[in-house]
Amino acid sequence: MSKTDPGNFFEDFALGQEIRHATPRTVTAGDKALYTSLYGARFAVHTSDEFARTLGYPRAPLDDLLVFHVVFGKTVPDISRNAVANLGYAACVFGTPVYPGDTLSTTSSVIGLKETSNRKTGVVYVRSTGVNQRGETVLDYARWVMVNKRDPESPAPEPVVPDLPDSVPVEDLAAPAGPDFAKYEVGPAGSPHLWDDYAAGERIDHQDGMTIEEAEHQMATRLYNNTARVHFNQHVEKDGRFGRRIVYGGHVISIARALSFNGLANAFRVAAINGGTHSAPSFAGDTIYAWSEVLERTELPGRNDLGALRLRTVATKDRPGADFPYKDGAGKYDPAVVLDLDYTVLMPRRG
Amino acid sequence: MSKTDPGNFFEDFALGQEIRHATPRTVTAGDKALYTSLYGARFAVHTSDEFARTLGYPRAPLDDLLVFHVVFGKTVPDISRNAVANLGYAACVFGTPVYPGDTLSTTSSVIGLKETSNRKTGVVYVRSTGVNQRGETVLDYARWVMVNKRDPESPAPEPVVPDLPDSVPVEDLAAPAGPDFAKYEVGPAGSPHLWDDYAAGERIDHQDGMTIEEAEHQMATRLYNNTARVHFNQHVEKDGRFGRRIVYGGHVISIARALSFNGLANAFRVAAINGGTHSAPSFAGDTIYAWSEVLERTELPGRNDLGALRLRTVATKDRPGADFPYKDGAGKYDPAVVLDLDYTVLMPRRG
Amino acid sequence: MSKTDPGNFFEDFALGQEIRHATPRTVTAGDKALYTSLYGARFAVHTSDEFARTLGYPRAPLDDLLVFHVVFGKTVPDISRNAVANLGYAACVFGTPVYPGDTLSTTSSVIGLKETSNRKTGVVYVRSTGVNQRGETVLDYARWVMVNKRDPESPAPEPVVPDLPDSVPVEDLAAPAGPDFAKYEVGPAGSPHLWDDYAAGERIDHQDGMTIEEAEHQMATRLYNNTARVHFNQHVEKDGRFGRRIVYGGHVISIARALSFNGLANAFRVAAINGGTHSAPSFAGDTIYAWSEVLERTELPGRNDLGALRLRTVATKDRPGADFPYKDGAGKYDPAVVLDLDYTVLMPRRG
């Protein structure tokens, strides 16, 4: 029996199958420092134990997207090692905050399967759940990927496509239960603009650009234990479709989120990802810019210290966001767009 | 009202203005490990908790320059986002040692303003103070930067230029109060040369060179939450004055300090920066060398276990320090010189 | 007296000489996170405090090779600063597990000396021992390096070549005394294959490749406080033998070990290095692949929860391991081979 794991092919997945992903991961202050050095993230709830304690946190929780990457990374060897394309995310809800010292592990269940018409590949829908060492859910999301078949002739399963919501309902968001954001100070947080100040339709150019280096995206992707081959192997990729290593899409999400501080400094918590599209690949040498649109401003049930903003953040490469590049009249993405992310953040509101 | 922060222009500063900079920062063992990986720093007081405890520290304090970068980084969004040039530092005194787990924040006061003769820019003088979570000063320094005016026609303020000392008087240095350096062991510290062995006028070539990579200076600068744009955006800088991203000057200071271990291994503490000049920009691909001159050897009031050395450390690029490249007869820097740093270190002395 | 340390030349070593290397080093969760980001290591005993506690460890110990690099790095300024070539390792035994917070220091004794026939260099044999803050041995190994003479005319010492074993006897391996590997769970560890499933002669292609970047190997090598010049100075190396910085051999060992997870996921502990050859230098841009052969499967005295596997892991550059490239008929290494490592791992066995 071969000792190496070739990863799963489309035929290896069955509806209802439960997968317990390997190598649980204790996250630490070391991961946090690397996350800072890779993106420059500086939302005050995450940068300062003292600031977090003032609100009622035991200490600063980790950035939500660092949690996302670690939980997601665990699924790669089983779900997407033989993936052709990462097609989408939905219903991604962040749960219990994660602190240095917590140990995260991930399980997935197969919630849909559909062979593609050419019979060479199939789409696998999974629901993945990340938990901490106490079994509390830290992240729960659906994802669908196109996976190669081992044999085009193998029979197709009954097609099942799960019904996934366009967005996470506000009732499903996990607003931190202990902390009291009436105590939130805008001075140290870096911006006077609170939830009350944003309006649906408002667009914000986050202004700065950040150039990606090979060493950076490789170090990030390995930190998350994400083993997808296209990110690390120039010897193979030089003869591949792009001639270069492809940057992990999550790396671009984190860059965009860090850039969004300038305009959204009080959006301290990513509460949900409603959907996301990596509309074009990114490579080392690309300079990433970002702009955001407020899609919706919503009250949170039972909370008058916090509100939710549904945002679209668009990342572009080698093109500033001043004129908000997005889609053309036919709905086709501007070639500079690399990410279209629909997500919901929490922000303190005025008393 | 725009949600993004354009940074301050010369007109936005007023004499006596107090600025409380945003995003306090908890520093950790993760930051320390990154600092080691970026510079290779190995002064024993900082590398070993056991060595530090033997002297009377509770554990190893962080490198002083890591503290400098974090405190400095906090000021960038308010002070130097629209800076044309970082003109100088003075009266920079390091205070209470900083340990992993401490939270640093920075305030600044405007101590001088002077419009430049072309009326397009002005020089802003600030005194910045970094404190820990107990309000103890960890760093205090004056800095002056040339900042763009929003409108060349706006009226000039009354010119005020603060009186800044050429050097920090030895009485103002904060020698660590608890630790007893009579217990300092030169063996594990890596050099037999103590304060008594150095003489004013002595020059030391630190021998090694270190080549800068883009990923390294970007990761360093983001780690410090320094948001100055010129360090990160190749898409803009390719059309800029140098065609390349500029390395944060503090990155070069830390490289020079790490190289200086070979010759100054017992200079465990940077107590003050008297003044500094970044005489030329540095870029990825440059190999940095360093040499030092002892400017002065001074006793410390009330201490016979420690003495002070005032040093000039000169960093060069792509040129070894063997012949001590510095200035020509007309006082102009050798083109290889990138840094001229006048600072004061503490070193154990013989019993 | 010169303040800088030129390193030792062949004449400076004497048989029986004891060297206490400088700058003890406290290792932390920060070092661990950097190790993960540099190699993607994910052996569950090291990635998860919870997994390690289930077995009886107080928390997750550090990767053995991280310990190796830190202990080894301490010896470089004294032993190999003027080395021409790193000739070999033998009898390398890993001892007490190392945890974040431990402080490591290294001593060496000179166990052999032999001038080379051209009289310009000599071979120095040392036994180096790394200990933690309680004086417990964490690593002990012999190493021999070719070192320049200061003066070719200086007299040769009596040649002494120590008798070094071809491999570490199984009785000398330090199997972790507290933990009980009957509790080891293969699910979270990532592979069903235990000690019982491997057979001498079995070959495993680890499949993936990883491309080295300059920033990565420099950050790794500085993290280990390894000061060998050839890794950091492009200004000198551009005119050197290869025109480029040479990657620290230990960086390649760690890449190969991380790649070997795919096929050896339960080989949680490197117990010994029997011998190793860096058969060709590696450079930034090289893509490293690895394959392994099981040389021997051995029971461990007094343990029925653990067994030992002696392995040969071969790393290649820019050539996949599918056809196991190694040596030609004349015993000459395939030009793609960069590392030939003979070592012993511990693996849980079936109850």
Side-chain angles (χ1 to χ4, degrees):
Chain A
M1 182 180 178
S2 169
K3 295 300 192 306
T4 50
D5 180 4
N8 290 312
F9 289 86
F10 183 64
E11 295 93 324
D12 299 321
F13 294 97
L15 198 69
Q17 181 183 356
E18 300 282 334
I19 302 169
R20 185 183 173 197
H21 303 293
T23 66
R25 172 86 155 74
T26 302
V27 289
T28 70
D31 297 299
K32 190 170 176 128
L34 269 157
Y35 194 82
T36 303
S37 78
L38 289 163
Y39 307 110
R42 59 197 166 101
F43 295 93
V45 167
H46 304 297
T47 62
S48 168
D49 283 342
E50 301 296 325
F51 188 87
R53 281 185 195 119
T54 302
L55 300 171
Y57 286 98
R59 63 192 291 196
L62 296 185
D63 283 77
D64 303 298
L65 293 177
L66 172 52
V67 173
F68 178 86
H69 299 321
V70 169
V71 169
F72 180 94
K74 295 293 145 217
T75 71
V76 170
D78 299 310
I79 306 295
S80 47
R81 191 163 164 87
N82 298 306
V84 180
N86 202 4
L87 298 174
Y89 311 102
C92 172
V93 184
F94 290 83
T96 302
V98 176
Y99 300 96
D102 284 353
T103 298
L104 305 182
S105 52
T106 311
T107 54
S108 296
S109 55
V110 178
I111 57 171
L113 289 170
K114 186 169 186 297
E115 196 182 70
T116 33
S117 53
N118 67 13
R119 306 214 54 201
K120 291 182 188 165
T121 59
V123 178
V124 180
Y125 297 79
V126 291
R127 170 164 287 282
S128 298
T129 306
V131 297
N132 66 17
Q133 68 280 7
R134 290 182 300 277
E136 297 159 350
T137 298
V138 301
L139 178 64
D140 188 72
Y141 67 98
R143 172 192 179 208
W144 53 108
V145 288
M146 187 180 292
V147 177
N148 279 317
K149 287 178 72 180
R150 190 177 281 110
D151 173 8
E153 301 308 313
S154 59
E158 186 70 22
V160 174
V161 174
D163 193 27
L164 293 168
D166 281 344
S167 71
V168 175
V170 74
E171 307 81 53
D172 290 358
L173 302 180
D180 174 7
F181 292 88
K183 296 175 181 162
Y184 188 92
E185 287 186 88
V186 295
S191 162
H193 308 292
L194 292 174
W195 175 82
D196 316 69
D197 305 321
Y198 290 82
E202 183 174 358
R203 289 177 162 194
I204 303 163
D205 171 23
H206 301 303
Q207 300 196 0
D208 291 328
M210 194 166 284
T211 305
I212 299 172
E213 296 295 322
E214 298 281 14
E216 292 169 4
H217 78 82
Q218 292 198 148
M219 289 182 71
T221 310
R222 283 187 298 242
L223 187 70
Y224 313 140
N225 285 166
N226 180 328
T227 58
R229 301 171 168 196
V230 294
H231 308 315
F232 301 112
N233 187 327
Q234 182 59 23
H235 179 247
V236 163
E237 296 306 320
K238 74 179 191 304
D239 303 318
R241 190 167 148 213
F242 302 107
R244 288 177 285 178
R245 282 161 278 179
I246 300 171
V247 172
Y248 163 49
H251 190 64
V252 176
I253 295 178
S254 280
I255 293 173
R257 165 80 173 150
L259 292 173
S260 79
F261 183 89
N262 194 357
L264 291 162
N266 294 319
F268 72 96
R269 165 85 166 161
V270 175
I273 297 177
N274 303 303
T277 300
H278 297 292
S279 47
S282 297
F283 306 101
D286 289 350
T287 299
I288 304 296
Y289 293 88
W291 63 269
S292 297
E293 178 171 351
V294 179
L295 299 178
E296 207 179 341
R297 194 183 70 173
T298 322
E299 301 208 348
L300 278 179
R303 298 293 291 244
N304 53 20
D305 58 339
L306 279 183
L309 294 179
R310 185 175 170 188
L311 302 171
R312 165 174 292 120
T313 290
V314 175
T316 52
K317 62 178 175 185
D318 297 338
R319 178 165 167 187
D323 63 348
F324 310 111
Y326 190 44
K327 291 180 177 172
D328 65 16
K332 214 185 137 194
Y333 283 108
D334 184 290
V337 173
V338 292
L339 172 72
D340 180 5
L341 193 71
D342 177 340
Y343 62 116
T344 302
V345 297
L346 303 186
M347 203 182 266
R349 50 189 290 188
R350 298 190 192 291
Chain B
M1 180 182 178
S2 170
K3 296 299 191 307
T4 50
D5 180 4
N8 290 311
F9 290 85
F10 183 64
E11 295 94 325
D12 299 320
F13 294 97
L15 199 68
Q17 181 184 355
E18 300 283 335
I19 302 169
R20 183 185 174 195
H21 304 293
T23 65
R25 173 87 155 74
T26 302
V27 289
T28 70
D31 298 299
K32 189 169 176 129
L34 269 157
Y35 195 81
T36 302
S37 78
L38 289 162
Y39 307 111
R42 59 199 166 101
F43 294 94
V45 167
H46 304 297
T47 62
S48 169
D49 283 343
E50 301 296 324
F51 188 88
R53 280 186 196 119
T54 302
L55 299 171
Y57 287 98
R59 63 193 291 198
L62 296 186
D63 283 78
D64 303 297
L65 293 177
L66 171 54
V67 173
F68 178 86
H69 299 320
V70 170
V71 168
F72 180 94
K74 297 291 145 219
T75 71
V76 170
D78 299 310
I79 306 295
S80 47
R81 192 163 165 87
N82 299 306
V84 180
N86 202 5
L87 298 173
Y89 312 102
C92 173
V93 183
F94 291 83
T96 301
V98 176
Y99 300 96
D102 283 354
T103 298
L104 305 182
S105 52
T106 311
T107 54
S108 295
S109 56
V110 179
I111 57 171
L113 289 170
K114 186 170 187 298
E115 195 182 69
T116 33
S117 53
N118 67 12
R119 306 214 55 202
K120 291 183 187 165
T121 59
V123 179
V124 180
Y125 297 78
V126 291
R127 171 165 286 283
S128 298
T129 306
V131 297
N132 65 17
Q133 67 280 8
R134 291 181 300 276
E136 297 161 350
T137 298
V138 300
L139 178 64
D140 188 71
Y141 66 98
R143 172 192 179 207
W144 53 110
V145 288
M146 187 179 293
V147 176
N148 279 317
K149 287 178 70 178
R150 189 176 282 111
D151 173 9
E153 301 308 314
S154 58
E158 186 71 24
V160 174
V161 174
D163 193 25
L164 293 168
D166 281 342
S167 71
V168 175
V170 73
E171 307 81 53
D172 291 358
L173 302 179
D180 174 7
F181 292 87
K183 297 176 181 161
Y184 188 93
E185 287 185 87
V186 295
S191 162
H193 309 291
L194 292 174
W195 176 82
D196 316 69
D197 304 321
Y198 291 82
E202 182 174 359
R203 289 177 163 194
I204 303 163
D205 171 22
H206 301 304
Q207 300 197 359
D208 291 329
M210 195 166 280
T211 306
I212 299 172
E213 297 295 322
E214 299 280 13
E216 292 169 4
H217 78 83
Q218 291 198 148
M219 288 181 71
T221 310
R222 283 187 299 243
L223 187 70
Y224 313 139
N225 285 165
N226 179 327
T227 57
R229 299 169 171 201
V230 294
H231 309 315
F232 301 112
N233 188 328
Q234 181 59 22
H235 180 246
V236 163
E237 295 306 320
K238 76 179 190 303
D239 304 318
R241 191 167 147 213
F242 302 107
R244 287 177 286 177
R245 282 162 278 178
I246 301 170
V247 172
Y248 162 50
H251 190 64
V252 176
I253 296 178
S254 280
I255 293 174
R257 165 82 173 147
L259 292 174
S260 80
F261 183 88
N262 194 357
L264 291 163
N266 294 319
F268 71 96
R269 166 86 166 159
V270 175
I273 298 177
N274 302 302
T277 301
H278 297 292
S279 47
S282 297
F283 306 101
D286 289 351
T287 299
I288 303 296
Y289 293 87
W291 63 269
S292 296
E293 178 172 351
V294 179
L295 299 178
E296 207 179 342
R297 195 184 70 173
T298 323
E299 301 208 345
L300 277 178
R303 298 294 290 246
N304 53 19
D305 58 339
L306 280 183
L309 294 179
R310 185 175 170 188
L311 302 171
R312 166 174 291 120
T313 290
V314 175
T316 52
K317 62 177 174 185
D318 296 338
R319 178 166 167 186
D323 63 347
F324 310 111
Y326 190 43
K327 291 178 178 174
D328 66 14
K332 211 184 140 195
Y333 282 109
D334 184 290
V337 172
V338 293
L339 173 72
D340 181 5
L341 193 72
D342 177 340
Y343 63 116
T344 302
V345 296
L346 303 186
M347 203 183 266
R349 52 190 289 190
R350 298 190 193 291
Chain C
M1 182 182 177
S2 168
K3 297 297 192 309
T4 50
D5 180 3
N8 290 312
F9 291 85
F10 183 64
E11 295 93 325
D12 299 321
F13 294 96
L15 198 69
Q17 181 184 354
E18 299 282 335
I19 302 170
R20 185 185 173 194
H21 303 293
T23 65
R25 172 87 155 73
T26 302
V27 289
T28 70
D31 297 298
K32 190 170 176 127
L34 270 157
Y35 194 82
T36 302
S37 78
L38 290 162
Y39 307 110
R42 59 198 166 101
F43 294 94
V45 167
H46 305 296
T47 62
S48 169
D49 283 343
E50 301 295 324
F51 188 87
R53 280 185 196 120
T54 302
L55 300 171
Y57 286 98
R59 63 192 291 197
L62 296 185
D63 284 77
D64 302 297
L65 293 177
L66 171 54
V67 173
F68 178 86
H69 299 321
V70 169
V71 168
F72 180 94
K74 296 292 144 218
T75 71
V76 170
D78 300 310
I79 306 295
S80 47
R81 191 164 165 87
N82 298 308
V84 180
N86 202 6
L87 298 174
Y89 311 102
C92 172
V93 183
F94 290 83
T96 301
V98 176
Y99 300 96
D102 284 353
T103 298
L104 305 182
S105 52
T106 310
T107 54
S108 296
S109 55
V110 179
I111 58 170
L113 288 170
K114 186 170 186 297
E115 196 183 68
T116 32
S117 53
N118 66 13
R119 305 213 57 200
K120 290 183 188 165
T121 59
V123 179
V124 180
Y125 297 79
V126 291
R127 170 164 287 284
S128 297
T129 306
V131 297
N132 67 16
Q133 68 280 7
R134 291 182 299 276
E136 297 160 349
T137 298
V138 300
L139 178 62
D140 188 71
Y141 66 98
R143 172 191 179 207
W144 53 109
V145 287
M146 187 180 293
V147 176
N148 279 317
K149 287 178 72 179
R150 190 177 282 108
D151 173 9
E153 301 308 313
S154 59
E158 186 70 24
V160 174
V161 174
D163 192 27
L164 293 168
D166 282 344
S167 71
V168 174
V170 74
E171 308 80 53
D172 291 359
L173 302 180
D180 174 6
F181 291 88
K183 296 175 181 160
Y184 188 93
E185 287 186 87
V186 295
S191 162
H193 309 291
L194 292 174
W195 176 82
D196 316 69
D197 305 321
Y198 291 82
E202 183 174 358
R203 290 178 162 194
I204 303 163
D205 170 24
H206 300 304
Q207 301 197 358
D208 290 329
M210 195 167 280
T211 305
I212 299 171
E213 296 295 322
E214 299 281 13
E216 293 170 3
H217 78 83
Q218 291 198 148
M219 289 182 71
T221 310
R222 283 187 299 243
L223 187 71
Y224 313 140
N225 286 166
N226 179 328
T227 58
R229 299 169 170 198
V230 294
H231 308 314
F232 301 112
N233 187 327
Q234 182 59 23
H235 180 247
V236 162
E237 296 306 321
K238 75 179 190 302
D239 303 318
R241 191 167 147 213
F242 302 106
R244 288 177 285 178
R245 282 162 278 178
I246 301 171
V247 172
Y248 163 49
H251 190 63
V252 176
I253 295 178
S254 280
I255 293 173
R257 164 82 173 149
L259 293 173
S260 79
F261 183 88
N262 194 359
L264 292 162
N266 294 318
F268 72 95
R269 166 85 165 160
V270 176
I273 297 176
N274 302 303
T277 301
H278 297 292
S279 47
S282 298
F283 306 101
D286 289 351
T287 299
I288 303 296
Y289 293 88
W291 63 269
S292 297
E293 178 173 349
V294 180
L295 299 178
E296 206 180 342
R297 195 184 70 174
T298 323
E299 301 209 348
L300 278 179
R303 299 294 291 245
N304 53 19
D305 59 338
L306 280 183
L309 295 179
R310 185 175 170 189
L311 301 171
R312 165 175 292 121
T313 290
V314 174
T316 51
K317 62 178 175 185
D318 296 340
R319 177 165 168 189
D323 62 348
F324 310 111
Y326 190 43
K327 291 179 177 173
D328 65 14
K332 211 184 139 196
Y333 282 109
D334 184 290
V337 172
V338 293
L339 172 71
D340 181 5
L341 193 71
D342 177 340
Y343 62 116
T344 302
V345 297
L346 302 186
M347 202 183 268
R349 51 189 289 187
R350 299 190 193 290

